Amino acid sequence: MPDDLPHWRGAMILMLAVSLAFPLVGITLLSVLALDYLVVKRVPVLRKAIG
């Protein structure tokens, strides 16, 4: 986890709690993370556009 983001740990705990309470939210979060990792980070135009 990045140390320079002040609320990173709290947000991760909140996302984990919501994912456990609502499984569809967890599936959505995993699919967005997979999309980011597999597509956005590998295509330079998307990486520049999204940041």
Side-chain angles (χ1 to χ4, degrees):
M1 285 189 238
D3 291 329
D4 57 341
L5 298 174
H7 302 291
W8 183 254
R9 291 191 180 129
M12 290 297 293
I13 291 170
L14 180 64
M15 284 192 306
L16 180 64
V18 170
S19 296
L20 290 173
F22 304 103
L24 191 58
V25 173
I27 293 169
T28 303
L29 288 173
L30 287 177
S31 63
V32 168
L33 288 173
L35 179 73
D36 180 49
Y37 180 73
L38 296 174
V39 176
V40 175
K41 293 202 182 221
R42 301 189 192 283
V43 178
V45 175
L46 288 175
R47 187 179 342 147
K48 187 176 181 182
I50 295 175

